[in-house]
Amino acid sequence: MAEADAGFPEAIRAAQAGDETAFVHLYRTMHPCLVRYVGTLVGDASGDGDAEEVAAGAWQDIARDLRAFDGDAMCFRAWCARSARTRALARLHDRPGRRARRRGRGRPPARHPEGGRERPDGGRSLALIAWLPRAEADAVALRAIVGLDDERAAYVLGTSPAAARSATLRGLRLLADQLGEAAADDCPPGAPAGDATCSATWMLRGM
């Protein structure tokens, strides 16, 4: 995320001062990941329905409150994600006549036909995250899609960094069971053989 965030502090300050070009830069950088993140919450992994509408609403809030923001690029990512999450939860609450979907049960999105070592494409990765129980999906999406650490994810979720990390690890273990075996050579040096969180993180890298 560091490369994508290059120039963010300057763009944030310029946008706060009313520079439309700077705001467009922030929007173009952040909007795709906000749509993907929201899609895992509202059950729109394709990002072409509710997720796009929810993200658009979040940008209205971001534009309205931007002058009050104070922080670095990673804090800005978290701040935007929190606005998007608030909108997503409101959309779920307001859905008429819809029963809450039981997540993390039943048949997940299909594995790679060979069962094994290739990363799923972006759409299936999002569908797998959306399949997780909501708390785990939220935490994993903030890490894999928005690129937040435990502290910033905790800010978005309204919980402690330890709780955010626990939810992320639970979700990654569930995903590892569905994604199959990842190439051990691509895990960080020193990672235990067959480490579930390493496997799932490798599979989701680059979303």
Side-chain angles (χ1 to χ4, degrees), residues 118-130:
E118 293 188 20
R119 291 189 183 93
D121 61 32
R124 190 162 72 89
S125 293
L126 292 173
L128 280 164
I129 294 175

Side-chain angles (χ1 to χ4, degrees), residues 16-33:
Q16 287 174 320
D19 187 325
E20 183 177 351
T21 300
F23 184 82
V24 169
H25 171 68
L26 297 175
Y27 174 86
R28 287 178 175 171
T29 303
M30 284 297 305
H31 184 68
C33 73

Side-chain angles (χ1 to χ4, degrees), residues 4 18-19 36 42-44 66 68 70 75 89 97 126 144 162 184:
D19 187 325
R36 293 195 298 271
V42 300
D44 175 27
L66 183 59
D70 183 20
C75 289
L89 296 182
L126 292 173

Side-chain angles (χ1 to χ4, degrees), residues 162-175:
R165 176 173 173 76
S166 293
T168 301
L169 292 175
R170 289 194 305 271
L172 289 174
R173 291 187 183 109
L174 285 169
L175 287 178

Side-chain angles (χ1 to χ4, degrees), residues 35-125:
V35 172
R36 293 195 298 271
Y37 169 54
V38 166
T40 67
L41 300 180
V42 300
D44 175 27
S46 66
D48 59 2
D50 281 358
E52 187 69 47
E53 291 182 13
V54 170
W59 278 106
Q60 294 177 14
D61 300 335
I62 292 165
R64 181 194 65 211
D65 299 333
L66 183 59
R67 289 181 185 274
F69 172 77
D70 183 20
D72 59 15
M74 188 62 70
C75 289
F76 184 75
R77 283 185 171 273
W79 185 67
C80 291
R82 186 168 181 170
S83 293
R85 182 176 187 269
T86 298
R87 285 274 185 164
L89 296 182
R91 173 62 63 93
L92 291 174
H93 182 268
D94 292 342
R95 278 179 174 171
R98 295 194 184 182
R99 300 171 62 182
R101 182 172 63 87
R102 299 181 72 184
R103 299 160 61 118
R105 302 192 179 192
R107 186 184 297 274
R111 290 175 183 238
H112 185 271
E114 309 236 331
R117 303 166 88 81
E118 293 188 20
R119 291 189 183 93
D121 61 32
R124 190 162 72 89
S125 293

Side-chain angles (χ1 to χ4, degrees), residues 131-143:
W131 169 81
L132 291 170
R134 176 144 297 128
E136 285 75 13
D138 214 340
V140 170
L142 287 171
R143 173 171 170 172

Side-chain angles (χ1 to χ4, degrees), residues 173-199:
R173 291 187 183 109
L174 285 169
L175 287 178
D177 291 340
Q178 301 304 326
L179 290 169
E181 180 186 2
D185 290 344
D186 285 296
C187 289
D195 180 84
T197 60
C198 172
S199 171

